[in-house]
């Protein structure tokens, strides 16, 4: 039995498959700018062998990892390096999350509070004295711009204006809206409902959706992340059992967290529903590719778009779905940005100790965007949006919003009725 346990733990996240080629280190955005970071090979498989023998070999330097998983994309042997690092932080870190970490991580709690007084919160967070207090007392960097809160939650809008109308459809998807759509930018959720309805699909919301938990994992609150994950899995199972064809999201990070991090980091069994959890662009592209859905676009729509591949989109291998969907729009002047991390990594780039490093990591991407000068950048990750808009001044849109703007709704409805 003891031997069995030993074999299991040595095999964790494919660590024994490491060839020591160091390719992962070449692709690590933190190693490129931070000489004190040991890098993925050392922080992952190398140190894991020691950590398995004794927890004292754990180093808090692992908190510099962005969890971008670019090392995993690069690794020729399928070693789950990012998972090894995050699992080690969960298992061995002795750091206790402070008030700042809890505030940044509890997006549902903070969003619910902020929505009630959104204009006041938005105004205050832009004031220099408020930023100075956050910088000094909370250790949230004063240069960071906060995303604006919406006065009305997406769920409230949906229940008032959209829920009843969904009854007229015969096919359905469930929408995992996530915190950003619910508390900050409900328009993205409205755009998704508009597209799905035009394609002949009704939209359901999940019963009692909670934040996917990605920020909780990153901030040392994995117990709470697990509880929220279990809640979400229960809600997702219920919707799939009720014959919704998929659970779609508009956030690459929420999707990745629920499909992969739940199982690998939080020990949540999700294999029965994992394939049903998908990004809305992937779901739509597949329907179009299979000839099940047709889209019609406005002839007067024109936009120069540069697409940024978010790290978790790269990890899932799903960039192609969003980019091919955008290329279907006749009025789009499309270009692909070089695939690089933007540096923010969720709440990471908000922290005073990480801010400068986050900006250094994103520097190459920001330079390229300024050179290309698009009308907008398209990306599937909301925190990439915050980082790129703050650092370049160029507006950033989710591909779903671009699609919704370009869509000829009436014509699309006719094509799919
Ligand atoms: S890329 Fe993979 S095989 Fe190569 S050193 Fe890194 S973890 Fe090991
Ligand atoms: S997950 Fe990203 S930041 Fe962390 S070690 Fe891998 S490449 Fe580096």
């Amino acid at each position: 039995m003891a031997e069995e346990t030993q074999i299991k733990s040595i095999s964790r996240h494919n660590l024994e498959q490491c060839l020591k080629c160091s390719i992962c280190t070449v692709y690590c955005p933190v190693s490129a700018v931070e000489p004190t970071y040991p890098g993925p090979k050392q922080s992952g498989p190398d140190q894991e062998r020691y950590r398995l023998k004794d927890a004292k070999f754990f180093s808090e330097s692992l908190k510099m990892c962005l969890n971008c998983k670019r090392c995993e994309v690069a690794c020729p042997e399928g070693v789950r390096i990012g998972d090894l690092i995050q699992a080690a932080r969960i298992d061995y870190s002795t750091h206790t999350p402070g008030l700042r970490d809890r505030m940044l991580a509890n997006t549902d709690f903070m969003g619910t509070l902020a929505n009630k007084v959104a204009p006041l919160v938005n105004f205050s967070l832009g004031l220099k004295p408020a930023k100075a207090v956050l910088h000094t007392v909370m250790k949230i960097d004063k240069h960071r711009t906060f995303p604006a809160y919406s006065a009305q939650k997406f769920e409230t809008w949906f229940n008032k204006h959209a829920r009843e109308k969904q009854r007229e459809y015969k096919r359905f998807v469930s929408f995992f809206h996530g915190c950003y759509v619910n508390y900050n930018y409900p328009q993205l959720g409205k755009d998704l409902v508009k597209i799905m309805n035009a394609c002949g699909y009704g939209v359901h919301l999940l019963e009692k959706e909670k934040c996917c938990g990605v920020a909780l994992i990153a901030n040392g609150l994995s117990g709470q992340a697990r509880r929220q994950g279990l809640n979400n899995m229960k809600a997702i199972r219920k919707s799939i059992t009720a014959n919704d064809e998929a659970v779609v999201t508009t956030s690459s990070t929420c999707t990745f967290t629920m499909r992969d991090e739940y199982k690998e980091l939080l020990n949540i069994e999700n294999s029965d529903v994992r394939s049903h959890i998908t990004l809305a662009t992937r779901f739509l592209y597949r329907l179009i590719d299979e000839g099940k859905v047709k889209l019609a676009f406005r002839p007067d729509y024109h936009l120069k778009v540069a697409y940024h591949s978010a790290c978790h989109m790269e990890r899932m291998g799903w960039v192609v779905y969003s980019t091919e969907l955008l290329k279907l729009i006749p009025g789009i002047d499309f270009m692909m940005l070089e695939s690089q991390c933007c540096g923010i990594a969720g709440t990471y780039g908000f922290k005073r100790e990480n801010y400068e490093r986050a900006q250094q990591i994103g520097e190459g991407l920001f330079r390229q965007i300024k050179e290309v000068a698009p009308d907008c950048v398209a990306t599937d990750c909301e925190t990439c949006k915050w980082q790129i808009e703050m650092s370049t001044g160029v507006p950033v849109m989710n591909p779903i919003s671009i699609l919704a703007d370009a869509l000829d709704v009436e014509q699309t409805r006719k094509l799919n009725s």
Side-chain angles (χ1 to χ4, degrees), residues 55 59 74 86 124 132 169 212 236 271 292 302 348:
S59 158
Q86 295 312 312
S124 308
Y169 298 93
C212 71
I236 288 171
S271 47
K292 292 179 182 164
H302 297 287
Y348 182 101

Side-chain angles (χ1 to χ4, degrees), residues 1 11 15 18 24 33 42 45 56 81 98 105 107 189 201 224 260 265 285 318 345 353 378 381 386 396 408:
M1 186 63 193
S11 297
L15 105 96
C18 177
C24 51
V33 301
Q42 265 201 51
K56 76 172 184 220
I81 313 152
T107 46
Y201 276 81
Q224 189 183 342
D260 294 326
L265 300 182
Y285 184 80
W318 289 2
E353 67 272 24
C381 172
W386 306 340
V396 179
D408 181 332

Side-chain angles (χ1 to χ4, degrees), residues 18-24 41 45 75-77 79 81:
C18 177
L19 295 171
K20 307 205 177 293
C21 66
S22 294
I23 289 173
C24 51
K41 174 177 158 289
C75 176
E77 290 300 308
V79 181
I81 313 152

Side-chain angles (χ1 to χ4, degrees), residues 9-25 37-53 57 62 71-72 75-86 88:
S9 53
I10 287 174
S11 297
R12 162 162 124 137
H13 307 304
N14 299 348
L15 105 96
E16 78 285 5
Q17 291 179 30
C18 177
L19 295 171
K20 307 205 177 293
C21 66
S22 294
I23 289 173
C24 51
T25 304
Y37 182 55
K41 174 177 158 289
Q42 265 201 51
S43 307
D46 284 3
Q47 287 179 8
E48 183 70 2
R49 290 188 171 87
Y50 291 101
R51 291 191 291 255
L52 285 171
K53 287 183 185 150
F57 290 106
L62 267 55
C71 49
E72 294 187 1
C75 176
E77 290 300 308
V79 181
R80 300 186 76 118
I81 313 152
D83 289 349
L84 280 168
I85 294 170
Q86 295 312 312

Side-chain angles (χ1 to χ4, degrees), residues 13 67 69 82-88 90-91 217 222 260-268:
H13 307 304
N67 197 24
K69 314 279 194 200
D83 289 349
L84 280 168
I85 294 170
Q86 295 312 312
I90 291 171
D91 291 348
I217 300 170
S222 56
D260 294 326
E261 305 281 68
Y262 278 9
K263 181 86 179 279
E264 296 297 331
L265 300 182
L266 300 179
N267 196 23
I268 296 174

